[in-house]
Amino acid sequence: MATEDMQTPPCHLPERIFALGAEPTGVRVTPYHKADGIRIILNALDQEEVEKIRVSPFGKLIEIADKPTFSGRFGRYIISRQLKVSKKHEAWFLFAGKPIRFSLREFALVTGLNCRRLPKRCKKRSKNFITEKPYWGELFGTLKEVPVSSVVRMLKKKLCVSQKLGSRPRRDDKRLDAFFEFPWGRVSFDLLLSSIKERKEVSLSQNTIALKGFVLSLQLVIVESVPALTEVVQDGSSSGSDGECGDEDDISEGEKPGKKSISPGHARETDAAGKAIVQSIMVDVIGGSNDTEEYDWSDDEDDVGVTNMVKLIEQGFPFTQACFVGGASRQDVDNTGQPVTEAHNKTPLCTHEQQSCNVIANTNTDSEAHMAGARNNCLNNNGDQEDSDEDNVEASEEEAVDEESGEATDQVGVVDLNLESIVDEVTIGCRKSKRQKVPTKSLLSAYQCDHGFLNRARKAVAETIYNGGHIDYAAKFSLLLDKLKGSFCVSTERGKILSTEVHQIIERPTHLSPKVVNILISHIGTLFRSQPHPQQMNNCVFMDTQFVSQLNKMYTKFSKASKKDGFKFTASVVESIQQDPSKSEVGRFYFPFNLDQKYWVGICVDCISWSVTVLDCNTALRTDYLMNKEVRPIAQMFPYLLKQAGRQVGLRECKGMTIERPRTIPQQNQITDSGVATIIFIQAHAVGGVEVCKCITPDVLHTEVEQLVVSLYEANVGTL
């Protein structure tokens, strides 16, 4: 009894993200940064330049280059064993039943980077910044994107530096010192932890997880906290490690063999045994573990569970696996419609019952009941399967991936062959439907669909907008890129757009200007009106950015008016909602809204549901309260504007419209994508509402942009 009391925590502790035993195995964590690049860059520098770096805040990176390489498989194992904490700038992981903290302090200890607070922007500096010569152009000329491999070649040939790192002119020395003094460690850590924190149970259940920032630092912290992990290392880099990056030409012959990495199999056994010595909070060089103000964050949040856990760590409490409860089970994640582990991908799907379900789901698109039944049947059959390869993690990581992919490929082939024969039997003598196979709203809204289903839905929507699916937009886009090498001008109804501006739409290095956004919104309005389809809302009006700007300017006078019915809107604003006199009843008004000239959102004023929908692909930038404050003038003034324009408001009596901000809108990776993403979301919403917007995920945004710019060129210049 005394032993049980010692192992039971006396206070509340954070819960697990995944329940014990239900952690997804996955395949790898793929870092954007490849640690092998450090070694490659160092090899391209002279010894004097390396010594200059060695005495700088980046000096510890030289030591890191000689440590075991990043293991994508081990990273995937650790990332699945997180605790739920509300602190924005801390992550806690479990190993051998004991918590391990990953915060800015631990990041600074293992990397040696400057992690002090970011400096406040100096006003005097900001005034002179414009007159200074851009350093990027001095290094790389007109190149906009420079991969590491290109920089390495330039360093070897001394193309991007005229003098050695240690013997630069005085002006360059000041620049170099300022670069070394900047807290790049805090920036890198924030990038990495944000990439980890934004992933919830479903995204953490994917086979491959891509993380931004210096991902190797997480492995370094875990290894420092659990010294037993280095007792067994393996030759060669594991799945998703830095060995997959870089050009072979940039790696010296002496470096290619003999690379070491953490053994995922040994890590798994050590974790399961639960006997390893774990240092939950790293100690510094003097043996201390206290935090300093240097590593504080002004916007961090308190977490009672974390506070309790830190106190128990200081008291030497013997943590065990049983101390941490809660977490999502496999069935909890299964119910979202997403694949959880490799076991689900490798489950044989060749039984007659499952084939019949798949045929029904694929051939009878009108019957949502059959669709739901097929999905539930397949999920139930998959839920009881276990990962047959879990005991073989000690094998070579590359072999494991090859075996998994090979097995999955064979099974998919069996399914496809059997399904093809069954479909042939079912469809003999059947009439082929001419209806567009656009997924129903209820199907998209009822499930969290996988990428395959969303991709098919996106293609169906594209066929609706761009006049069928027989056009090879990829080939046309290649021709357009060739034309962009020269200069030209596209004349549209809304004005002229230069070839450089078309290139900005494609690459999106900066925010799109209101002029470009106005041309794009006018273009999709023309597409909408010229190619009517039963799936489309034919009573939609697309307005430019000037409308919302003029409308918001009148809100101060409108709010002070004692009788709102008597308030007179300007003629230009009233005419904006009367663009198409042939439509007596307009259902939706769409227009882009530029917030503080920082990012774009789409606005849909729905006169049928009497609501204002905000299509926001960067919800983290503004809270719901602040967004409602921005949109409230539109929701309050629009009913009176409709009435003044001659629309019947019925029993609503000009009551303010409700404001909706759907959280199902896919979030884009870059804020500079908000302009073109807003246009595409407006286009998708006009076709099928919020549900269709789910198809526009970040990985397909570039494809959507290709179709958009090709159709813009062909509509105003000629066929490509």
Side-chain angles (χ1 to χ4, degrees), residues 694-715:
K694 293 181 181 180
C695 307
I696 315 299
T697 53
D699 56 322
V700 302
L701 180 64
H702 190 70
T703 302
E704 295 292 324
V705 173
E706 290 180 4
Q707 296 177 341
L708 182 65
V709 294
V710 167
S711 63
L712 174 66
Y713 182 89
E714 292 191 331

Side-chain angles (χ1 to χ4, degrees), residues 270-283:
T270 305
D271 182 30
K275 298 180 180 180
I277 298 176
V278 176
Q279 193 173 60
S280 296
I281 299 178
M282 285 181 57
V283 296

